[in-house]
Amino acid sequence: MGRKRKRSESSELVARPKKEDAAPERPARTLLGWKDKNQVTDEVEDSNVHSPIFRNKEKVLVTCSRRISYRYRHLMLNLVSLLPHCKKDNKVESKETKGATLNELVELKNCSSCLFFECRKQKDLYLWMGKCPNGPSVKFLVSAVHTMEELKLTGNHLKGSRPLLTFSSNFEKDAHWKLLKEMLLQIFEIPKDHRKAKPFHDHVFVFSIVDDHIWFRNYQISVHHNESDKLPRGGLDKMTLIEVGPRFCLNPIKIFGGSFGGPTLYQNPFYVSPNQIRALEKKKKAGKFAKKVKAKTKRKMHEMANPLEPDEFADMWKD
């Protein structure tokens, strides 16, 4: 049998405080790492700010209308694969009440933004980009669409990695471009601490304005990883960009003050709807046919006004 413990030793073990055995409390996590609570309270007392820690909780709802063509659906799925902080939902009927339906869906999915792909006549694609539930929102006409499957480019980057967002200098020109830049930043920028996002950057989203249109490109950042060719820190000259896709062009139509409606903040004066373009093309084709009909009638009128003289030798060989 084992030796019995003395009464004094057992009393010492019981008398020890339990707090020494417990692990220290973990500080709160921020965008810049782990932060001590004492440090946070000191910052609050110094700066008198209500919430010194900023946490990006942006979530984007991505959905489309019914009767969307396969090409535009593939474009939507490409964007879903590029944005790990988005949530996909079922198709929505594109009626006048779609704004209320989308706002309700965004609230149910606990999102703060929405991308709605609306297809009309199985030809024209419109993109609604809105901040819910208070706005603003923008309506774009999408053109020059090329999906990843169509392009088959050599670029490749890790799925879920955070992109670098670059904008051309034209976005600082007018007030409506500044508003669109801020909306694109908030929607396409992936939160740092998101559970599906990777903690590094290996591709770039490029937004550039040409002819009052926003052109989107996605490039992979290619860096040499061999020991002999390894780049020094900050060696940006030897890095190359390889396009991955997709490609598309956004033509802004209207900017609304509310979510999917409300007062019009900006209207594009140079916008021409695709229906008008198709009607003009039909008129041109109809004009060609009308010219042919006019030429025929003019020829007949000329022949009737100037008849030919009878031929003297027409009945010469009848006998």
Side-chain angles (χ1 to χ4, degrees), residues 82-95:
L82 290 176
L83 304 176
H85 65 298
C86 75
K87 293 184 177 181
K88 198 173 66 170
D89 200 78
N90 297 329
K91 296 178 180 178
V92 178
E93 194 70 43
S94 60
K95 293 181 179 178

Side-chain angles (χ1 to χ4, degrees), residues 62-307:
V62 181
T63 183
C64 64
S65 65
R66 296 190 181 277
R67 294 172 293 277
I68 190 171
S69 64
Y70 70 95
R71 198 172 178 206
Y72 299 147
R73 189 178 69 252
H74 289 175
L75 174 67
M76 183 190 70
L77 294 176
N78 291 158
L79 283 181
V80 168
S81 64
L82 290 176
L83 304 176
H85 65 298
C86 75
K87 293 184 177 181
K88 198 173 66 170
D89 200 78
N90 297 329
K91 296 178 180 178
V92 178
E93 194 70 43
S94 60
K95 293 181 179 178
E96 293 180 358
T97 57
K98 63 177 176 290
T101 308
L102 289 169
N103 284 327
E104 189 177 352
L105 280 174
V106 168
E107 188 179 356
L108 288 172
K109 290 286 185 178
N110 195 20
C111 297
S112 54
S113 305
C114 182
L115 292 176
F116 177 59
F117 291 84
E118 184 180 5
C119 185
R120 294 182 183 173
K121 298 184 179 180
Q122 294 187 345
K123 297 177 183 177
D124 309 325
L125 180 65
Y126 296 91
L127 173 62
W128 287 84
M129 189 182 295
K131 300 291 292 181
C132 301
N134 300 321
S137 56
V138 194
K139 185 181 180 182
F140 295 101
L141 174 68
V142 186
S143 58
V145 174
H146 298 279
T147 61
M148 287 184 184
E149 292 80 7
E150 287 178 354
L151 291 173
K152 295 181 181 176
L153 299 171
T154 55
N156 187 18
H157 59 79
L158 191 65
K159 185 176 180 180
S161 60
R162 300 175 65 225
L164 298 171
L165 270 67
T166 60
F167 295 87
S168 61
S169 58
N170 305 348
F171 278 95
E172 302 297 329
K173 186 173 60 176
D174 295 322
H176 64 278
W177 292 123
K178 289 181 182 178
L179 177 60
L180 290 176
K181 178 182 177 181
E182 186 60 33
M183 290 188 67
L184 291 169
L185 265 173
Q186 293 186 19
I187 291 175
F188 284 89
E189 189 176 18
I190 299 171
K192 183 180 179 182
D193 293 331
H194 196 271
R195 60 188 179 86
K196 291 184 180 178
K198 305 298 185 295
F200 48 85
H201 306 275
D202 64 345
H203 62 114
V204 186
F205 288 166
V206 180
F207 297 93
S208 53
I209 299 174
V210 181
D211 297 333
D212 293 327
H213 290 60
I214 300 175
W215 297 80
F216 173 83
R217 295 289 185 271
N218 179 26
Y219 295 98
Q220 176 206 352
I221 303 172
S222 179
V223 187
H224 298 287
H225 291 288
N226 299 329
E227 290 296 329
S228 59
D229 301 334
K230 198 167 184 180
L231 294 177
R233 189 176 182 84
L236 300 175
D237 299 336
K238 296 183 180 179
M239 293 183 184
T240 56
L241 295 177
I242 306 171
E243 188 173 355
V244 182
R247 296 177 181 177
F248 55 88
C249 174
L250 300 175
N251 184 12
I253 303 171
K254 279 185 181 182
I255 301 177
F256 300 98
S259 177
F260 301 100
T264 303
L265 303 180
Y266 170 77
Q267 186 170 2
N268 189 0
F270 305 106
Y271 171 71
V272 181
S273 71
N275 291 329
Q276 291 179 349
I277 294 171
R278 285 193 288 267
L280 289 172
E281 288 178 354
K282 284 183 179 179
K283 281 184 181 179
K284 284 183 181 178
K285 290 180 181 177
K288 287 182 181 178
F289 180 72
K291 284 180 182 178
K292 287 181 181 179
V293 173
K294 281 183 182 179
K296 283 184 179 180
T297 53
K298 194 175 181 181
R299 179 67 183 171
K300 285 182 180 179
M301 294 292 290
H302 179 73
E303 288 178 355
M304 290 171 65
N306 302 303

